[in-house]
Amino acid sequence: MALALCLGLLPTHAQTPAVRAAAVAASAPRAASPWTALADDGLHDPRNPAIGLLQQPGEALAGLPRDTAGNQVRWVQALDQGVIQPRANLSAATPVRVRDQDIIISKYGSMPAVLFPHRQHTLWLDCANCHNGLFKDQAGANRFSMQRILDGEQCGVCHGAVSFPLTECNRCHSVPNASLRGRPDVGPVRPVAEGGQR
């Protein structure tokens, strides 16, 4: 009787309104999760009983601001809204440096210029993650290359791996070149010549 009640198999007249509502909710189609279940992701062994101990991505990420690309989460928005509060440093003695400065990387090419927001990056990363390994910390000292980025270098170290993918061109290339002409603080940054040094 209890099993039949849970499954909604009792005659309608014997079901309480709460039981009928639960049965309707259970039979309603659920919105598809944008996150693949661990058993279906091609990385985890679905036959391993330990998979049941892991939290499913749909459960872990469902409360975060949604995105339309990559891992489907707007991480900076989640941080700004206080939905997540990552640890700022591993050691209390390590200084936390958040830099609130945007840099425009302009090539005056066919694509809009790139706006690089330091704040969104330094909320997550210490300066040493990028400087002076990936990038020199001197204006005009870096040569950017989309080929290198697509090869997983420069910005491509993170974008396409842990942050939004490189297919979201307009998130970086967001400043119309025409709006930059005549500004003394913005100079052209030329890409590395094909076959030239990186």
Side-chain angles (χ1 to χ4, degrees), residues 134-135 144-166 172:
L134 296 175
F135 303 104
F144 297 89
S145 161
M146 276 309 301
Q147 184 59 54
R148 290 181 69 188
I149 293 169
L150 290 167
D151 286 342
E153 299 175 43
Q154 296 181 330
C155 309
V157 169
C158 293
H159 286 280
V162 294
S163 61
F164 65 82
L166 297 170
C172 296

Side-chain angles (χ1 to χ4, degrees), residues 77-195:
Q77 186 178 349
L79 186 64
D80 287 343
Q81 293 175 352
V83 178
I84 57 174
Q85 296 175 356
R87 182 185 295 185
N89 49 19
L90 295 175
S91 167
T94 304
V96 176
R97 300 175 290 180
V98 175
R99 184 171 184 177
D100 196 5
Q101 178 192 26
D102 293 343
I103 295 176
I104 296 176
I105 302 167
S106 172
K107 292 191 288 186
Y108 299 120
S110 60
M111 290 291 289
V114 172
L115 176 76
F116 176 80
H118 265 102
R119 178 186 169 274
Q120 285 83 336
H121 291 82
T122 57
L123 285 172
W124 297 94
L125 302 167
D126 182 71
C127 302
N129 282 280
C130 299
H131 298 297
N132 277 311
L134 296 175
F135 303 104
K136 295 174 184 158
D137 60 357
Q138 178 184 354
N142 296 288
R143 300 196 125 205
F144 297 89
S145 161
M146 276 309 301
Q147 184 59 54
R148 290 181 69 188
I149 293 169
L150 290 167
D151 286 342
E153 299 175 43
Q154 296 181 330
C155 309
V157 169
C158 293
H159 286 280
V162 294
S163 61
F164 65 82
L166 297 170
T167 54
E168 299 294 299
C169 307
N170 64 334
R171 291 201 189 177
C172 296
H173 291 273
S174 61
V175 181
N177 285 312
S179 70
L180 302 174
R181 299 216 186 273
R183 281 184 51 183
D185 60 325
V186 179
V189 176
R190 293 174 190 82
V192 175
E194 292 301 318

